[in-house]
Amino acid sequence: MGDNKTSKSHTHSSTSPCAHLRAAYHNCFNRWYSEKFVKGEWKKEECVSEWQKYRACLAEHLDDKHLSRFLEADTLVIDNVNESPTPT
Amino acid sequence: MHQKYSIIGNKIFLLAEKLITTVIKKSLSFSLWDSVGLLLHSLQHLNNQNNPQRETIKNIMVRAYTQEHVYKHPWERVTSASWRKFVDPENKRILSHILEVDTLNRKLDPESGKLYTTRAITVHTPGPWFIRKIIGQDICHCVESTVVDGQSRSMQLSSQNISLQKFVEVVEKIRYDPHPDNPNEWTICRQETSIRIKPLSALASMAEKVEQRCAERFVQNSAKGREVMERICKYLEAESRGISL
């Protein structure tokens, strides 16, 4: 009998084994974004170690092939953004 | 043959248009994906009924809708809120259809001040218990690409579903820009949504049933979405005051 439903948390996200690393990275990023990036301090990338740990976990656990494709991509393919709605 | 096709096709077109109009006009960014499961469920159900029209009408219909919303907060705060919308734990209770948000890729160009991000958003499809059995899954993956231009102060998001594409393709584009009338205090959000549904015949026959449930759902979710964005903005405002004091 698989017993992988005995999660103590009430949220869905805790089912992911990367949840803690993800939260650590997102917290770091959100702080950097609102305190540094939007103020023009974008020369230096931060949260690098959080990012590396989180990404390594994703690489191990992301089993959806469609999603792994994006993870492995060295350069981002942003095909739709250029056609974003423009002021009328 | 051709005439029959166009009569049926026309009727179907009208029905489908009615459905989509209702649905999309009431939707907001992330709430949109909530509809995918519901539509799917209906389409699959019809396919199982061996509907003869399914073979003859393979039209694909695309519709696009735009919305605008003005946040009475500066661009810096609104875009910060946008990053936090699905991620903050206290919002997860409200936005319960968002299951997971993972950042798959991120790249900062330190010269131009551009930040590129790819995120995966996993959405729980709504509907009754048997949905999992019918469509074989009860989640939908969406991929969101974002470019933030720190220099010119613009944020552009583009997202689309990557699962369930044989039934429906939804593309959403959102821009956050400083409001031209008050660029340092207000932010304008422009959103364009296009939905491509196939096969058309299946959708139309179910249109009326689906319509009501989708509409109810969207009204709930779009209200929730603005509520969450406004609340995060207020929180960030209070936080920045605290820091500056």
Side-chain angles (χ1 to χ4, degrees):
Chain A
M1 294 296 248
D3 201 19
N4 45 15
K5 281 184 184 170
T6 48
S7 170
K8 282 175 192 168
S9 176
H10 302 290
T11 58
H12 294 287
S13 64
S14 64
T15 54
S16 164
C18 304
H20 283 101
L21 295 171
R22 174 172 59 205
Y25 171 68
H26 283 158
N27 286 340
C28 185
F29 169 80
N30 287 335
R31 208 166 39 241
W32 172 79
Y33 183 84
S34 45
E35 289 173 17
K36 304 258 174 88
F37 182 83
V38 294
K39 294 174 183 168
E41 299 171 37
W42 52 67
K43 292 284 177 220
K44 186 173 165 284
E45 202 155 5
E46 293 185 11
C47 311
V48 175
S49 77
E50 285 89 347
W51 173 239
Q52 282 168 351
K53 283 178 208 161
Y54 168 49
R55 235 182 100 103
C57 183
L58 276 184
E60 194 181 336
H61 290 101
L62 203 67
D63 46 4
D64 187 287
K65 270 179 257 151
H66 297 294
L67 295 182
S68 310
R69 190 158 49 94
F70 292 94
L71 194 64
E72 284 154 17
D74 285 331
T75 52
L76 293 175
V77 182
I78 315 225
D79 47 354
N80 291 308
V81 161
N82 293 331
E83 304 152 28
S84 277
T86 45
T88 45
Chain B
M1 210 45 189
H2 181 70
Q3 205 172 9
K4 190 185 169 194
Y5 172 89
S6 39
I7 292 165
I8 296 169
N10 197 33
K11 194 179 171 190
I12 284 161
F13 181 81
L14 290 174
L15 272 168
E17 190 178 35
K18 193 180 161 205
L19 164 70
I20 292 163
T21 307
T22 311
V23 163
I24 300 306
K25 283 190 174 168
K26 290 175 181 174
S27 82
L28 257 197
S29 58
F30 52 88
S31 55
L32 185 73
W33 305 111
D34 211 13
S35 71
V36 171
L38 210 51
L39 286 168
L40 243 194
H41 158 63
S42 310
L43 298 175
Q44 191 68 36
H45 176 67
L46 273 172
N47 282 345
N48 290 345
Q49 286 179 336
N50 208 9
N51 186 342
Q53 289 178 13
R54 185 162 59 96
E55 295 304 313
T56 52
I57 301 173
K58 291 194 170 166
N59 271 3
I60 291 173
M61 195 176 61
V62 184
R63 275 286 175 271
Y65 295 94
T66 55
Q67 297 181 35
E68 281 191 9
H69 182 72
V70 177
Y71 289 97
K72 303 270 173 85
H73 292 277
W75 178 85
E76 289 76 5
R77 188 179 297 146
V78 173
T79 57
S80 297
S82 170
W83 287 121
R84 293 169 192 234
K85 184 162 68 174
F86 302 142
V87 175
D88 279 2
E90 57 264 44
N91 300 325
K92 285 205 163 185
R93 278 196 311 276
I94 303 171
L95 305 174
S96 56
H97 60 293
I98 305 290
L99 294 185
E100 307 266 359
V101 178
D102 274 305
T103 304
L104 300 180
N105 221 320
R106 180 156 271 150
K107 201 164 153 184
L108 173 68
D109 182 349
E111 294 307 311
S112 64
K114 285 186 180 173
L115 178 68
Y116 302 88
T117 306
T118 308
R119 299 200 301 180
I121 298 170
T122 306
V123 182
H124 190 265
T125 58
W129 60 270
F130 48 82
I131 190 164
R132 187 196 302 250
K133 194 180 163 202
I134 292 169
I135 66 172
Q137 61 184 109
D138 60 356
I139 56 167
C140 177
H141 293 300
C142 308
V143 168
E144 174 202 80
S145 300
T146 307
V147 184
V148 184
D149 188 332
Q151 204 123 46
S152 70
R153 295 166 88 216
S154 77
M155 181 189 218
Q156 300 181 40
L157 300 95
S158 171
S159 52
Q160 72 186 89
N161 60 311
I162 57 163
S163 47
L164 316 179
Q165 273 181 340
K166 62 180 168 174
F167 299 104
V168 60
E169 286 176 22
V170 183
V171 178
E172 273 199 339
K173 294 170 191 170
I174 302 176
R175 290 186 63 122
Y176 292 101
D177 295 292
H179 195 290
D181 294 345
N182 196 350
N184 290 322
E185 299 296 328
W186 294 353
T187 304
I188 185 161
C189 171
R190 294 188 193 86
Q191 181 183 334
E192 187 183 291
T193 307
S194 76
I195 184 165
R196 182 191 295 254
I197 294 166
K198 43 198 180 175
L200 190 54
S201 59
L203 172 78
S205 317
M206 284 300 282
E208 281 180 295
K209 284 182 199 171
V210 177
E211 179 176 342
Q212 198 183 354
R213 293 182 53 191
C214 278
E216 285 166 7
R217 195 96 184 181
F218 276 135
V219 170
Q220 289 168 7
N221 283 336
S222 62
K224 284 179 200 168
R226 287 174 197 225
E227 190 191 307
V228 166
M229 281 291 288
E230 294 285 4
R231 206 179 58 196
I232 301 173
C233 284
K234 283 211 183 88
Y235 169 80
L236 292 171
E237 185 178 24
E239 198 182 55
S240 68
R241 277 212 191 106
I243 287 167
S244 58
L245 286 170

